[in-house]
Structures are given as structure tokens and as C-alpha cells.
Amino acid sequence: MRELGMNAVPYLQEKPIQGVKYILDNFCYPYPNVKCSIEAGAPLVLTDHNDPLQSVEGMAEANVVGVVDHHNVSMSFNTGLPIYYRCMNVGSACTIIYNIYKECGIVPNPSVAQLMLAGIIADTDSLGKVTSTDADSLALTELVSLSGVENLHELTEGISLAQDSYDGMTDEEIFMSDCK
């Protein structure tokens, strides 16, 4: 969104889980701030979910201006105005985001390409999930080239091991680890 001139700030809803930590640390990318609630009327773009039950506290009073998702569509929230809504039958929201970049004629810089690549790997289990599509495969291939990642196998193994790890997590954190 910043590439398109919008004043957007990424937030996590909770502290990052092991897989996310591995990705951010591996690419020396700063951790986004955690924001568990949103103020009434504040603009909000939902990414990788569209269900209020998985969203930040206050979503119902926020100004939802966009959704980018690859899950089933929740019919449990309303907006006052039309919004940008992009939902595709693909294995990863990062595939959608990469396609938006391409449609806008924007080539992601290597660090953004690394994050998108890692997101596709993590979401699709390296294209092994039944939800993986040809679009995910094409995006992954193009992002490998753009990211400068030299050892895809090593990255894939690292992400997989980290996602399967619950080291240092409480029982509650483990239980809540895939809540949006």
C-alpha cells in the first residue's frame, strides 16, 4: 500500500509465532509492532482473514477499507462504503499480494520479495498443501528470482522446522498460535 502512495503501517495482532520469527530473523527484517485493538473509525485493511472473530478488538467500529484474503468469505461484517476486496482461490495471501504488485507494475524490492516468498512457502507447505495452485507456484518461482534467495531448500526446511516448534511458548500461546 505504501508503494501506491498510501500511508499504511503493518501490525501483527499478537507476538510473532516461531515460523514468523524465523522468517523475520532469517531476512533481518524488523518485527512489526503488535496491535490488539483498533480505535473506532480508524482505517483497517484485513490481510489473510476476513472474519471479525479472528480480527483485532474494535474491528466492528473500525473503518474497514480493504480485505486481501484466500479463505472462505465471512458474511458477518458490514462497511458503510464500498471497499477494496480481493479474495482468490489460492494457497497464500502472499500470492494475491504479489499479483497486486504485478498488476500495478511494481517490482518488489528483494526484502519484500523475500517476505512474500517465505509467506507462500509457509502457507502452502512449499506447495504441498491441496490448496496450493498454479498461481502460487508461478509466484513462488518469480519471487525466488526477485528475492535473491540462493538456497530455496534451506529456506523451506528452516521455515518448516520453525513452524513445527513450540519452544518457549505457553499452553495458551500454543492454543492461540494460528488465530488471526
Side-chain angles (χ1 to χ4, degrees):
M1 294 178 72
R2 288 191 302 249
E3 292 283 341
L4 297 173
M6 297 176 207
N7 184 17
V9 177
Y11 289 100
L12 297 173
Q13 287 182 227
E14 59 191 28
K15 71 181 192 174
I17 58 176
Q18 299 300 86
V20 174
K21 286 180 184 178
Y22 175 83
I23 292 166
L24 295 174
D25 291 345
N26 186 64
F27 294 121
C28 301
Y29 202 85
Y31 285 41
N33 289 326
V34 174
K35 190 169 187 168
C36 302
S37 63
I38 190 164
E39 303 78 29
L44 177 65
V45 175
L46 305 174
T47 307
D48 202 22
H49 77 288
N50 67 80
D51 189 336
L53 297 175
Q54 295 181 337
S55 197
V56 292
E57 184 179 319
M59 180 200 148
E61 293 80 34
N63 178 20
V64 177
V65 296
V67 175
V68 177
D69 196 10
H70 67 116
H71 295 101
N72 62 304
V73 177
S74 168
M75 301 304 278
S76 57
F77 75 94
N78 295 305
T79 62
L81 297 170
I83 65 170
Y84 179 84
Y85 198 100
R86 183 73 173 262
C87 188
M88 293 177 62
N89 184 21
V90 294
S92 176
C94 288
T95 298
I96 302 168
I97 293 167
Y98 178 60
N99 282 320
I100 293 169
Y101 266 69
K102 286 174 42 173
E103 290 163 9
C104 292
I106 300 169
V107 176
N109 67 47
S111 78
V112 171
Q114 291 165 352
L115 294 176
M116 284 191 250
L117 171 65
I120 293 170
I121 292 168
D123 252 0
T124 67
D125 286 338
S126 299
L127 304 175
K129 284 188 177 176
V130 296
T131 55
S132 302
T133 67
D134 289 343
D136 296 302
S137 180
L138 177 62
L140 187 138
T141 299
E142 292 177 4
L143 287 165
V144 166
S145 175
L146 294 170
S147 69
V149 168
E150 294 180 12
N151 191 332
L152 184 60
H153 178 73
E154 183 179 296
L155 176 62
T156 299
E157 285 295 310
I159 291 171
S160 179
L161 289 171
Q163 284 183 303
D164 291 343
S165 172
Y166 295 112
D167 289 346
M169 295 175 72
T170 66
D171 290 345
E172 181 180 359
E173 289 170 333
I174 293 168
F175 180 75
M176 300 298 291
S177 66
D178 196 33
C179 287
K180 303 292 189 261

